[in-house]
């Protein structure tokens, strides 16, 4: 424990020093290489211009380098690997893609992922918006907001462990220690093994992510709602609009941009969902999703780099359009201001 | 001042390390339950290797590493060889990296015959020779089976004996509480037919016979694979079992489906299992045996490997509060003998040297087994050891199951490719218990296997 802390501290301090040293000394070297002397004005101004050209690259260089090494190269390597066999040595063409289309588990994962995409972003945004609007009106709104936001601080695995106890099932006549089954039993129902009911168990897993992410949606949307000019709402009230109409016709259109941001952010998160499924079911009882399937093929049982690469590429392809749209929309908004 | 103090501490630590290495847990020649003669003979035969190096790489860490070190101390004491043992959290990957990088240890110890076969086929292992395979055959219980698990094809395509079995686990055990059996007047079944009769009798008496829990987080389902493998060995000849683990015998074969169905007879009968069928897949395997100890008992029997007592309630005295019997065989299949399902670690030479050969010779001395046996968590099929050396009567009984076995088979799911043995087979068993028929479940496992061919 102590040695980990010491080495972590060492890395943090060392990295900060190394970064500062890099910027300081590279700048110094640049200044020395392209001197600005008082005597020759033309040379000095030329050197100044050159410095201005080189300096950004000098500063952005390390980031660019890391981006290529840790992002661009792996993507290219993964793409190439997806055309090779399990060992990554034998070229097999499109065989891995063909396999993916025909594989039952793969299709199951796609179906489950679509299910997640349809439910989780919508539910998070909806609950986040509703909670944001409602908590604005009450005196204990900030306390309520803090409570809703709190699950954000819990890791996905930690949250899954908490929810495992909510879905816990005890057989026979044992006392149910799972919250959900305890409630069901109190009202005279029969306890169920919730996470092993095919199809519906997907929703029980989604609830965990909704529980975590609603706080995020709420915070962003709450800030956006504050930005709505009071006059528009007042005008609507004077015109005789009821609460429902104010919400849908006045508030929602004005925070539309923020809703889109929240929605797309959570959509990207959902495409990568992994920890919850791994902790709760590991894809059993037909809850497999793409990220878990990829992990399964790569790290369980010898490792099939070809097939897991195919799945990784598919996840990336699914995420990319949403990313592009998000970035473009953000750019457009920036230009508008 | 401070510096010299630190130096002093470092020196003291060094000496403490050296002193404990030379420490022998049991003084040679004293305790009569150990075979000291074998130790003295080994010592006399390997006196010329003093100071030479030997590196050993193995899976044992933590407590087991300490036990293994205590065994190594005798080897060092006898030969003067400079032994270095190392291990890794990811020992399966590490040994592949080490051998491919050209810096293998002298001795590699692994619990996976499949991985060793892979290393041997790439030419990374040195054959141990026919005299060693003959020795195993003559001196181990079910010796032929053990020789089989150490025999692989080399780089030249020729079969040779590569891996020396050392340390084993037993899985064919049924755990029970003797007191409960006595009170109800139940006798330990000696045949599978009697086990079925006893199961029915318990139901008739108003009890629940079995606790079965397949839950294990992401690995949910594996305890069921042990059941099916055990039943497979009791219904089919060992050759069929071997073919099954390589998929020469398909999962959809009636023989395999019958073994799965036989498991279903226990697990899918609501009257037979504690908590009903729904509880089987969801109960954690670690919680499952606790039903044995409830008052009144929630169940009378629990099928699980030799490691399970560590999950019994605290203070449980083995032999008194809990005991086990050998998972019986069918009286209708006397030709299958007494098969035992289990696992074990295999010792192979990755870089040949005189010291490595000396270490293999050392494993043939009873003392190399007895020292670990006398401490904990070590079973051996070696018939030449003094079973009195076992730390407790339960381990002695488990050891005797190994030495008296006619057939020993490795955990089948460990022999299958990971995607099946640690994936589709688990899921298939969960689906089977969840309501699918044995044919359907087997069909899905088979199609997963077809998918990786």
């Amino acid at each position: 424990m102590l040695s980990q802390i010491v080495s972590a501290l060492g890395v943090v301090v060392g990295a900060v020093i190394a970064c500062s040293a890099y910027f300081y000394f590279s700048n110094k070297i640049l200044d020395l290489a392209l001197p600005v002397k008082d005597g020759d004005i033309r040379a000095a101004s030329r050197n100044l211009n050159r410095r201005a050209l080189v300096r950004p690259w000098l500063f952005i260089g390390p980031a660019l380098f890391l981006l290529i090494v840790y992002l661009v190269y792996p993507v290219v390597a993964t793409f190439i690997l997806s055309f090779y066999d399990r060992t990554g040595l034998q070229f097999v063409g499109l065989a891995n893609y063909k396999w993916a289309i025909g594989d039952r588990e793969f299709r199951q994962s796609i179906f489950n992922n679509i299910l997640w995409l349809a439910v989780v972003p919508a539910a998070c945004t909806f609950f986040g918006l509703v909670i944001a609007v409602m908590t604005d009106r009450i005196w204990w709104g900030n306390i309520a907001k803090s409570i809703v936001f709190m699950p954000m601080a819990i890791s996905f695995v930690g949250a899954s462990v908490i929810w495992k106890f909510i879905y816990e099932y005890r057989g026979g006549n044992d006392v149910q220690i799972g919250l959900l089954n305890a409630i069901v039993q109190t009202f005279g129902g029969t306890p169920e093994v919730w996470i092993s009911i095919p199809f519906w168990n997907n929703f029980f897993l989604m609830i965990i992510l909704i529980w975590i992410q609603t706080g995020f949606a709420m915070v962003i949307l709450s800030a956006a709602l504050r930005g709505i000019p009071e006059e528009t709402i007042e005008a609507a009230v004077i015109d005789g609009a009821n609460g429902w109409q104010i919400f849908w016709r006045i508030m929602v259109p004005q925070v539309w941009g923020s809703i889109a941001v929240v929605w797309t952010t959570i959509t990207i998160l959902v495409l990568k969902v992994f920890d919850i499924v791994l902790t709760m079911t590991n894809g059993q009882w037909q809850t497999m999703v793409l990220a878990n399937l990829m992990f399964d093929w790569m790290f369980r049982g010898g490792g099939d780099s070809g097939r897991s690469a195919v799945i990784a590429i598919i996840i990336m392809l699914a995420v990319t359009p949403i990313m592009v749209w998000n970035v473009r929309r953000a750019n457009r908004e920036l230009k508008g201001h | 001042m401070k510096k010299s103090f630190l130096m002093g501490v470092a020196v003291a630590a060094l000496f403490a390390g050296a002193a404990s290495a030379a420490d022998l847990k049991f003084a040679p020649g004293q305790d009569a339950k150990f075979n000291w003669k074998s130790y003295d003979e080994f010592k006399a035969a390997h006196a010329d290797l003093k100071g030479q190096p030997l590196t050993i790489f193995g899976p044992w860490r933590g407590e087991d590493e300490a036990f293994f070190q205590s065994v190594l101390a005798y080897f060092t004491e006898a030969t003067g060889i400079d032994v270095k043992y190392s291990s890794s959290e990811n020992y399966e990957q590490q040994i592949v990296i080490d051998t491919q990088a050209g810096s293998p240890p002298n001795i590699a110890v692994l619990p996976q015959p499949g991985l060793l076969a892979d290393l041997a086929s790439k030419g990374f292992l040195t054959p141990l020779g026919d005299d060693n395979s003959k020795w195993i055959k003559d001196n181990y219980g079910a010796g032929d089976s053990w020789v089989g698990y150490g025999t692989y094809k080399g780089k030249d395509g020729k079969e040779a004996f590569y891996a020396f079995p050392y340390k084993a686990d037993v899985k064919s055990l049924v755990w029970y509480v003797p007191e409960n059996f006595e009170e109800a007047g139940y006798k330990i079944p000696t045949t599978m037919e009697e086990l079925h009769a006893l199961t029915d009798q318990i139901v008739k008496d108003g009890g629940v016979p079995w606790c079965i829990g397949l839950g294990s987080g992401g690995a949910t389902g594996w305890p069921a694979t042990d059941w099916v493998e055990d039943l497979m060995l009791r219904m089919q000849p060992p050759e069929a079992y071997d073919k099954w683990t390589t998929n020469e015998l398909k999962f959809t074969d009636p023989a395999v489906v019958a073994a799965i169905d036989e498991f279903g007879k226990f697990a899918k009968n609501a009257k037979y299992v504690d908590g009903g069928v729904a509880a089987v897949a969801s109960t954690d395997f670690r919680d499952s045996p606790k039903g044995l100890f409830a008052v009144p008992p929630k169940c009378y029997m629990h099928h699980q490997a030799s490691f399970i007592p560590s999950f019994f309630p605290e203070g449980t005295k083995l032999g008194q509060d809990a005991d086990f019997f050998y998972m019986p065989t069918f009286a209708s299949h006397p030709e299958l003998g007494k098969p035992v399902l289990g696992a074990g670690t295999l010792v192979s030479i990755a870089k040949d040297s005189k010291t490595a050969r000396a270490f293999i010779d050392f494993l043939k001395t009873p003392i190399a087994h007895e020292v670990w046996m006398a401490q904990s968590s070590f079973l051996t099929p070696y018939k030449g050891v003094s079973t009195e050396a076992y730390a407790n009567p339960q381990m002695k009984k488990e050891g005797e199951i190994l030495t008296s076995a006619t057939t020993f088979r490795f955990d089948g799911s460990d022999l299958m490719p990971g995607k099946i043995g640690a994936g589709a087979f688990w899921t298939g068993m969960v689906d089977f218990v969840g309501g699918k028929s044995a044919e359907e479940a087997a069909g899905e496992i088979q199609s997963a296997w077809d998918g990786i061919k």
Side-chain angles (χ1 to χ4, degrees), chain B residues 39-51:
Chain B
Y39 177 67
D40 292 335
E41 279 169 11
F42 174 77
K43 194 170 180 173
H46 296 87
D48 55 334
L49 295 165
K50 203 165 173 38

Side-chain angles (χ1 to χ4, degrees), chain B residues 27-304:
Chain B
Q30 282 190 356
D31 201 328
K33 69 185 181 192
F34 295 100
N35 186 341
W36 295 115
K37 197 170 145 265
S38 70
Y39 177 67
D40 292 335
E41 279 169 11
F42 174 77
K43 194 170 180 173
H46 296 87
D48 55 334
L49 295 165
K50 203 165 173 38
Q52 294 193 38
L54 173 70
T55 51
I56 301 176
F57 180 83
W60 302 303
R61 296 169 68 79
E63 205 184 20
D64 272 348
E65 180 172 347
F67 290 137
F68 183 58
Q69 290 285 8
S70 74
V71 175
L72 279 182
Y74 287 84
F75 177 70
T76 315
E77 180 72 17
T79 58
I81 290 174
D82 180 20
V83 188
K84 279 198 184 69
Y85 172 76
S86 62
S87 183
S88 160
E89 197 110 18
N90 309 308
Y91 57 87
E92 299 109 316
Q93 285 98 316
Q94 192 60 47
I95 190 67
V96 174
I97 294 166
D98 284 352
T99 47
Q100 289 193 336
S103 57
N106 292 113
I107 297 277
V109 189
L110 289 166
Q112 288 130 325
L115 181 54
L116 283 164
D118 197 37
L119 292 174
S121 72
K122 289 175 181 155
F124 291 136
L125 302 182
T126 310
L128 300 180
D130 291 338
D131 47 333
N132 276 317
S133 69
K134 190 176 175 314
W135 187 89
I136 293 288
K137 200 173 161 181
D138 296 342
N139 290 285
Y140 270 31
D144 279 329
S145 310
W146 284 108
V147 170
Y149 284 119
T151 303
Y152 321 116
K153 273 190 186 139
K155 203 178 182 181
D156 49 4
K158 271 188 225 144
E159 284 209 332
F161 182 67
Y162 282 97
F164 190 101
Y166 174 71
K167 190 180 192 290
D169 297 305
V170 183
K171 298 200 170 207
S172 304
L173 305 177
V174 178
W175 296 85
Y176 70 104
V177 175
E179 205 181 313
N180 294 344
F181 265 50
E182 264 167 47
E183 263 174 37
Y186 300 142
K187 262 191 276 166
I188 289 165
T190 53
T191 64
M192 192 56 90
E193 286 83 354
E194 281 181 30
L195 184 66
H196 277 292
L198 174 63
T199 302
D200 285 328
Q201 183 63 41
I202 294 173
V203 174
K204 217 191 244 171
D205 295 346
V208 177
W210 293 93
C211 275
I212 304 177
L214 308 187
S216 180
T220 294
W222 72 259
T225 65
D226 284 5
W227 268 92
V228 173
E229 287 152 12
D230 236 346
L231 291 164
M232 189 74 188
L233 284 175
R234 280 156 184 72
M235 297 165 75
Q236 300 298 330
E239 296 75 44
Y241 182 90
D242 297 339
K243 283 184 183 160
W244 175 47
T245 59
T246 57
N247 207 227
E248 245 180 278
L249 186 77
K250 293 201 182 307
F251 253 94
T252 43
D253 192 278
V256 182
V257 173
I260 297 175
D261 261 329
E262 186 67 25
F263 166 57
K265 280 186 192 166
F266 294 100
K268 288 177 81 169
N269 185 329
K271 287 184 192 154
Y272 281 8
V273 281
D274 174 45
V277 183
V280 170
S282 64
T283 305
D284 196 283
F285 79 97
R286 285 157 283 218
D287 291 334
S288 180
K290 296 197 171 102
L292 291 170
F293 305 98
V295 184
K298 282 186 185 164
C299 60
Y300 284 83
M301 292 177 280
H302 181 70
H303 175 266
Q304 191 50 279

Side-chain angles (χ1 to χ4, degrees), chain B residues 338-351:
Chain B
K338 271 189 91 177
V340 169
L341 180 73
T345 39
L346 301 158
V347 179
S348 56
I349 297 182
K351 191 168 81 186

Side-chain angles (χ1 to χ4, degrees), chain A residues 121 125 216 220-221 252 255-268 322 325-326 329-330 332-333:
Chain A
T125 316
F216 163 76
I220 305 276
L221 295 174
V252 171
V255 295
W256 196 243
S258 302
I259 290 177
V261 168
V262 168
W263 195 298
T264 47
T265 311
I266 297 176
T267 300
I268 291 167
I322 307 166
W325 182 78
N326 219 2
R329 207 194 45 78
R332 213 167 42 227
E333 228 158 64

Side-chain angles (χ1 to χ4, degrees), chain B residues 309-334:
Chain B
S310 43
F311 298 106
F312 286 170
E314 223 163 290
T316 305
K317 279 213 182 94
L318 287 186
Q320 193 181 327
D321 305 328
D323 209 340
F324 65 84
F325 56 84
Y326 167 72
M327 173 88 166
T329 50
F330 286 93
S332 54
H333 288 296

